[in-house]
Amino acid sequence: MSREGGVDPIRPRASLRTAVVWEVLRGALERRAKAADRPVLDVLDTGGGTGNFAVPVARLGHRVTVVDPSPDALFALERRAAEAGVTDRVTGVQGDTHGLLGTVPAGGYDVVLCHGVLEYVDYPGEELRNVAGTLRPDGALSLLAAGRGGAVLARALAGHFAEAQYALTDPDGRWGAGDSLPHRFTAEELTALVGDAGLRATAVHGVRVFSDLVPGVLVDTEPGALDALLRLELAAAEEPGFHAVATQLHVLAERG
């Protein structure tokens, strides 16, 4: 894919990690802009870091506010936005989801991104309610979090069978004391959290169903392998049967 925000030819492996989410997010932005009859939306990216999604969204013409606790990440975001020529449409704010409603206005955004945040916070439900509180009445949420089943499969394929079983039964989806991730989720758990936050899940996608399991040398050296794997990821993302083994899960939700 060569469309803006899709596969990056310089970083093909990184592109596989974001392509599914970007396709869903871009569609959501287009629908929200059409419904609001406004070409420019106000977008909030919580935990947006260096702008992996914020900058491409700004390149589509939208105004993006990135809230992240890391000053270094926000500095990198500023540099990245400048390189992309979207400095006037990207604003970085230091903060986190715990104090989000004291950092940005409640009900101020058409679309909110919450990518790679819930797996690291102490109280995912509370943090997600804060995120939902920043949405306008007809706003949309893009939620991306680590999947429990993907971790189970990865540990088993690596020969760590006891850790795989631990992750399968642990309430937080962790594979043991050495696991650096505090939480992993099933699709059902994420949609329940979305509902508790006052939103309605409209779509669930599996992300990185295959790409984390395929040897890198195959993708990097086999002609056409990257495009074929990307097409497979996009096709499998919408199939509920693959959600249970995805490394990440993406939920698109709306208020009401």
Side-chain angles (χ1 to χ4, degrees), residues 225-245:
L226 173 62
D227 288 338
L229 180 55
L230 176 56
R231 288 193 296 272
L232 177 61
E233 288 280 2
L234 291 169
E238 298 186 19
E239 294 292 334
F242 288 106
H243 295 168
V245 294

Side-chain angles (χ1 to χ4, degrees), residues 159-183:
H160 303 300
F161 306 121
E163 292 177 350
Q165 183 176 354
Y166 191 98
L168 188 63
T169 57
D170 182 70
D172 291 313
R174 305 181 76 231
W175 49 256
D179 193 342
S180 61
L181 213 58
H183 308 282

Side-chain angles (χ1 to χ4, degrees), residues 123-137:
Y123 304 103
E126 178 181 325
E127 308 287 340
L128 190 56
R129 285 191 290 273
N130 290 340
V131 171
T134 67
L135 280 171
R136 287 175 176 154

Side-chain angles (χ1 to χ4, degrees), residues 65-72 74 91-96 99 102-104:
T65 299
V66 176
V67 175
D68 195 278
S70 169
D72 291 340
L74 293 175
T91 302
V93 179
Q94 189 171 0
D96 55 29
T103 303
V104 298

Side-chain angles (χ1 to χ4, degrees), residues 147-157 160 163-165 167-169 184:
R148 175 196 300 267
V152 173
L153 182 60
R155 301 314 290 176
L157 292 179
H160 303 300
E163 292 177 350
Q165 183 176 354
L168 188 63
T169 57
R184 292 185 182 87

Side-chain angles (χ1 to χ4, degrees), residues 1-24 26 53 205-215 218-220 222-238 242:
M1 296 173 60
S2 59
R3 289 182 293 176
E4 188 172 300
V7 165
D8 181 347
I10 300 175
R11 300 187 304 155
R13 294 291 287 182
S15 302
L16 287 168
R17 295 174 177 268
T18 60
V20 168
V21 179
W22 175 250
E23 288 296 300
V24 176
R26 179 168 48 193
F53 283 93
H205 294 83
V207 179
R208 292 157 58 188
V209 174
F210 306 103
S211 58
D212 287 354
L213 306 176
V214 174
L218 174 62
V219 177
D220 297 335
E222 187 71 20
L226 173 62
D227 288 338
L229 180 55
L230 176 56
R231 288 193 296 272
L232 177 61
E233 288 280 2
L234 291 169
E238 298 186 19
F242 288 106

